[in-house]
Amino acid sequence: MKVLVATHPAFTAHATGLSHPERPARLTAARAGTADAPVDIVEFSPSEAELELLAGVHLVDYVQSIKRFCAAGGGQLDPDTVVGVDSWEAALRAAAAGPDAANLLERGVADVAFLPIRPPGHHALEDRAMGFCIFNNVAVTARFLAASGNRVAIVDWDVHHGNGTQEMFLMDPEVLYVSLHEFPAYPGSGWVDEIGLGPAAGTTVNFPMPVGTGGDVYRASFERVVLPILSAFKPDWLLVSAGYDAHDADPLAGLSLLESDYAAMGSALRGLVGPGKTILFLEGGYNLKAIQGCVAATLSGLAAVPVPDETSRPVSGSRSWRALEFVVEVQQRHWQVV
Ligand SMILES: [Zn+2]
């Protein structure tokens, strides 16, 4: 399997400060994970996003305010989100990485794209930076693809709910948003009754999972709900907000996934769309060893190379299984799930 991988020095030049968890070393770990995976790597350098591309999901005034803020030396955009002078270029290239990858995949250069980019994107709102995110990279790409008539499915397995992405497509029936996340947790949204509005009712699907949930419940969630909904939705493109902070070793969250669970999710997503129609975006993940192992496992799964289960695996409690039953019950109003 050929994997298109984004690379540019700007992504590591985005400086967040010495003690910030969203740090450049995360990309070194993610790149090491791509190198470890049993795949062929094709590298590309993303361009800088034009204003028109960003304006698909962001307010022009917001984009310009970020440009001015970075040029003036940067600082804190919110209590978690820090930018410096170099962050503007990083944010532009991170936002263009998805559309650029889509164009390259259309030309047949690879089977799948994996984008180890910073800053991440899924918390960014149309007019506000949030949770380490400046521009919503996955949402920019979904809008870009939907604008030419494509149906787009976004699967978000970052441990945090992608509130920005959900909000941007809450009323859009052509873009499906599915998120599995810890709940309650930052940013506070992503309850099971957030299902989309108006004609888009049913095209937002949330799995709010209690602390301690492990890969057994995630695998069952894919089998019983995520895959049947994706198959019924029939997307042309599949975008993945691939955060690695649901891993057991992550310092910022409390779920208990292991590497083989990411391989299982990667494998489950194989074949849902045609070849060259899947793009994965790095979102969170703050344990470097876990990032490296999970990126390699995800790509192994997508390449159909088996990753054996760990000998000792966390077992989810009854609260996690009940949370899944509740999701099934709510989703049965919109989809054929059992
Ligand atoms: Zn996260």
Side-chain angles (χ1 to χ4, degrees):
M1 186 176 78
K2 276 191 188 168
V3 181
L4 186 64
V5 174
T7 174
H8 196 281
F11 298 135
T12 40
H14 165 50
T16 46
L18 284 178
S19 57
H20 202 287
E22 201 292 278
R23 58 207 191 278
R26 298 177 58 246
L27 288 197
T28 315
R31 291 299 309 273
T34 63
D36 290 346
V39 297
D40 296 320
I41 304 291
V42 183
E43 293 188 345
F44 80 107
S45 274
S47 61
E48 294 184 21
E50 303 284 346
L51 184 60
E52 194 187 339
L53 184 65
L54 296 167
V57 292
H58 290 290
L59 299 186
V60 169
D61 282 355
Y62 167 66
V63 175
Q64 285 166 343
S65 76
I66 295 294
K67 184 179 186 180
R68 283 194 302 272
F69 191 77
C70 293
Q76 286 193 280
L77 288 162
D78 83 351
D80 306 312
T81 314
V82 184
V83 290
V85 179
D86 297 321
S87 303
W88 171 245
E89 184 186 343
L92 290 183
R93 292 191 191 275
D100 285 357
N103 288 332
L104 288 165
L105 290 174
E106 295 264 45
R107 288 177 10 212
V109 303
D111 305 295
V112 169
F114 180 82
L115 311 178
I117 50 178
R118 301 176 56 248
H122 73 153
H123 296 305
L125 298 162
E126 66 169 7
D127 61 350
R128 189 149 64 91
M130 198 176 153
F132 317 160
C133 305
I134 314 295
F135 299 136
N136 196 319
N137 310 317
V138 73
V140 165
T141 309
R143 184 75 88 212
F144 168 80
L145 293 168
S148 45
N150 291 294
R151 288 169 72 76
V152 181
I154 303 171
V155 173
D156 186 334
W157 69 49
D158 186 280
V159 79
H160 303 102
H161 180 240
N163 59 302
T165 313
Q166 171 172 299
E167 198 160 307
M168 285 161 175
F169 299 105
L170 203 60
M171 291 185 281
D172 187 342
E174 303 302 314
V175 177
L176 175 72
Y177 178 68
V178 179
S179 177
L180 301 96
H181 47 268
E182 183 176 347
F183 191 98
Y186 183 88
S189 52
W191 186 237
V192 69
D193 66 356
E194 296 165 30
I195 52 139
L197 294 174
T203 60
T204 294
V205 179
N206 281 303
F207 291 75
M209 291 302 178
V211 64
T213 298
D216 47 2
V217 167
Y218 264 56
R219 293 182 196 212
S221 298
F222 265 69
E223 208 170 291
R224 292 181 59 189
V225 185
V226 178
L227 296 180
I229 290 178
L230 284 171
S231 299
F233 183 75
K234 296 187 174 61
D236 300 301
W237 283 84
L238 175 63
L239 309 182
V240 181
S241 269
Y244 291 101
D245 39 10
H247 189 277
D248 195 51
D250 192 87
L252 297 195
L255 298 196
S256 297
L257 271 61
L258 300 179
E259 289 176 16
S260 67
D261 299 315
Y262 291 94
M265 293 193 286
S267 173
L269 295 178
R270 277 170 49 80
L272 286 167
V273 290
K277 301 281 187 182
T278 300
I279 306 175
L280 296 94
F281 299 72
L282 183 66
E283 299 281 3
Y286 305 98
N287 177 297
L288 300 179
K289 194 166 168 280
I291 294 171
Q292 180 175 348
C294 293
V295 168
T298 303
L299 295 178
S300 298
L302 283 162
V305 176
V307 172
D309 282 358
E310 294 77 5
T311 45
S312 164
R313 295 181 48 77
V315 176
S316 298
S318 58
R319 287 182 62 221
S320 301
W321 289 106
R322 280 204 304 276
L324 171 56
E325 292 305 329
F326 187 33
V327 172
V328 170
E329 192 185 311
V330 170
Q331 293 306 326
Q332 279 173 339
R333 297 170 205 158
H334 303 280
W335 304 95
Q336 290 266 349
V337 295
V338 286

